Amino acid sequence: MNSMFRFLKSLFLLELFGGMRVTGRHFWRKKITLHYPEERAPVSPRFRALHAQRRYANGEERCIACKLCEVVCPAMAITIESAQREDGSRRTTRYEIDLTKCIFCGFCEESCPVDSIVETHVYEYHGESRDELLMTKEKLLAVGDKYEAQIAAARAQDAKYR
Amino acid sequence: MEMIQAALGWLPMWLQVLMMIVLKIVVILIPLMLSVAYLTYAERKVIGYIQVRIGPNRVGPIGLLQPIADAVKLIFKEIIVPAGSDKLLFLLAPILAMAPALAAWAVVPFQPGMVLADVNAGLLYILALTSMGVYGIIIAGWASNSKYAFIGAIRSAAQVVSYEIAMGFALVGVLVAAGSLNLGQIVLAQSGSILHWFWLPLLPLMVVYFISGVAETNRAPFDLAEGESEIVAGFHVEYSGTPFAVFFLAEYANMILIATLSAVLFLGGWLSPFQGIPGLAEGALGAPSMLWLFIKVAFFLFLFLWFRATFPRYRYDQVMRLGWKVFIPITIVWLLVVAGMVVGELPPWFA
C-alpha cells in the first residue's frame, strides 16, 4: 500500500510541483540586491577602512611619536622614526602604514593615546602599485584633513561606549 | 506579398520564386535570432528573480542591451582550435548543431496559411530534423580530441536517442488524434474551444513530450552533456568565440522550436483561447492570430527557465530510467487510450 502510494506520488511529480511552487513564489518576492554605485549599505561608526592621521583644531598634528601603534600592530605594517623638532617637541619624521600588510584590525587606533591614527569609512580606494598603497605621513595627514568632519562625527557617536 | 511579387515581375520565373522563398526565410530567421538573443536575457532575468536577485541591469535601460554586448564580445574573441583536433570537423560541428534547429522552422505554421513549406509530412520532417541536432554534438565531442568533450558527447548521444523514442510516441498520439501529419491540419483539428485543444485528451503525452523536449535540448535538469561539476563543460569545453556562440544559439533556437511545437501540437497553435465562448469569441479576441501562438510559446519557454531555476541535475542512471522505464510505457499505454477514444468517437474531440 505504502509503495503504491509512493509510486503514484512520484508518477504525478508531486514533489517536483512542490519545488516549482517554492521557486515560483520567490519569483514575486521583493528583490534584495543593492544597486551599488547608486545605493550603499549603511556603515557603522566603528567601521574600519582607510587610515588617517588627525590634527588638533589649531592645525598641530596630534601624533607624538610614542610608537604604541607600531608595537601593537600584529601585521607589522607601521614604521615610525622620530626626532626632536626645533620647538623641542617630539614628532615623527617618518610615519608609514603599508596597506598591503595591514589587516584593518583597528589596534593602532585603540592604542593611540592622543586619537591621532584613526580608521575612516573610506572603503573605495585602490593602488596600481605597492608604492601607491604605502601610506606616508603626508598622505595620512591629507586623508585626515579631507575627512575630519566624518571622523569627528563617528568618534562623537561612539564616545559613550568607550 | 503581392507588391513584392509585382516588383520582381521583370525577373525570370524561377528567380522570382527563389527570391520569394529567400525573403520568407529571412522574415522567419531574423525575428528568430532576435528571440534567441532576448531569450538569454529573459533566462538571466527570470533565474535572477527566482533567486531574489535582479539580473542584468547595467547595459542599456534595465539591461536590455546585454545580449547585444554578449554577442559582440563573443564575436571578437579569438577562435582557438586545439592542436590535436580535427580542424574541419571541429568547425563543422557548430554549424551541424545549428542548421537543423533553423531548418525545422520551415514547416511551422504561424497563422492560417502562413507557413514557409506546407508539407504533408511536416511532423516526420520535424522529427527527422530534431534528431539531426545530436550529430553536431557528437562531432564536436569527437573532433575536440578531449576526454571531457568526448564523455559529454557520448552522454548526450545516449540521452537524445533514448528520449527520441518517447518523443516519437507522443507525436504518434498527436498524429492519431489529428489524423494528419501536416502541422496546419493538426492545429485545425483542435479548433472549437480551449477544451477542444489536444492538451486535454493527450495530457500525459503533452507532459512526456515537453519533458523529453527539455532532455533533447540538453537543458537543466537534463544537462548532463554539459555537467560542469563533473566534466567541465561537456562537448563544448574546447570551443571559444564565434563557434561557441553558434552552439549557444543552437541550444536556444532548439528551445524555442520545442516550445513552439508543444504549442502547435497540444495548445492549438494560432487558435484563440476565447474561441467558442459566447460573448468573447466575436471580437478580435476570438480571432485566430499569430499573437496567440507567441503567448503560448512564451509560456513554454518560461517553463524551461523555471525548470532550470528549480531542479538539480539528474544522475545519469536516473535520466536513463526516466526515459526507458517511465516515459515509454506511459506513452504506449496512452496511445492505446487515444486510439480507443478516436475509434469510439469520443466527444467533444473526436466526434
Side-chain angles (χ1 to χ4, degrees), chain B residues 149-184:
Chain B
F150 188 63
I151 293 171
I154 294 290
R155 280 186 180 191
S156 157
Q159 178 184 326
V160 170
V161 167
S162 333
Y163 278 85
E164 202 100 275
I165 301 171
M167 210 167 177
F169 275 129
L171 291 182
V172 171
V174 175
L175 164 63
V176 169
S180 170
L181 277 169
N182 183 309
L183 290 177

Side-chain angles (χ1 to χ4, degrees), chain A residues 43-162:
Chain A
V43 168
S44 155
R46 296 179 188 179
F47 193 87
R48 302 191 299 264
L50 185 66
H51 305 72
Q53 278 215 20
R54 298 177 71 192
R55 293 176 194 275
Y56 289 112
N58 63 5
E60 177 63 278
E61 60 183 273
R62 288 184 181 229
C63 185
I64 50 171
C66 69
K67 300 195 182 179
L68 278 174
C69 48
E70 185 181 25
V71 170
V72 80
C73 182
M76 300 209 272
I78 305 181
T79 317
I80 300 175
E81 280 165 16
S82 65
Q84 207 169 47
R85 211 163 55 178
E86 300 93 79
D87 62 358
S89 66
R90 181 186 154 88
R91 296 290 157 187
T92 56
T93 53
R94 180 178 173 208
Y95 188 106
E96 286 172 2
I97 297 183
D98 188 347
L99 290 180
T100 61
K101 288 183 184 169
C102 177
I103 59 171
F104 298 93
C105 62
F107 283 4
C108 47
E109 181 174 349
E110 281 183 42
S111 69
C112 188
V114 291
D115 278 352
S116 171
I117 184 73
V118 289
E119 289 191 76
T120 63
H121 296 177
V122 182
Y123 56 85
E124 294 154 310
Y125 59 87
H126 79 293
E128 283 168 21
S129 66
R130 281 159 190 271
D131 284 349
E132 279 178 53
L133 286 172
L134 185 76
M135 295 299 282
T136 58
K137 188 178 172 185
E138 292 71 41
K139 284 202 233 171
L140 286 166
L141 281 168
V143 175
D145 293 341
K146 190 170 173 195
Y147 296 104
E148 178 55 33
Q150 182 232 304
I151 294 169
R155 298 295 165 284
Q157 230 181 322
D158 206 31
K160 59 183 168 185
Y161 304 110
R162 284 180 181 257

Side-chain angles (χ1 to χ4, degrees), chain A residues 18-34:
Chain A
M20 286 178 71
R21 236 185 64 212
V22 172
T23 49
R25 254 203 323 267
H26 276 73
F27 184 83
W28 303 105
R29 279 249 308 257
K30 195 178 173 315
K31 307 301 169 237
I32 53 173
T33 307
L34 204 66

Side-chain angles (χ1 to χ4, degrees), chain A residues 10-11 13 15-17 19-38, chain B residues 45-55 57-58 207 211 302-303 306-307 309-311 314 321 326 330:
Chain A
S10 79
L11 183 66
L13 308 174
E15 296 289 344
L16 296 187
F17 283 121
M20 286 178 71
R21 236 185 64 212
V22 172
T23 49
R25 254 203 323 267
H26 276 73
F27 184 83
W28 303 105
R29 279 249 308 257
K30 195 178 173 315
K31 307 301 169 237
I32 53 173
T33 307
L34 204 66
H35 298 247
Y36 164 62
E38 292 94 37
Chain B
K45 272 284 185 199
V46 166
I47 292 178
Y49 267 58
I50 284 174
Q51 294 167 352
V52 206
R53 296 183 289 115
I54 42 180
N57 71 341
R58 289 287 133 177
V207 174
I211 297 177
F302 184 76
L303 279 185
W306 196 355
F307 286 167
T310 307
F311 303 130
Y314 268 96
R321 181 184 152 273
V326 181
I330 289 180

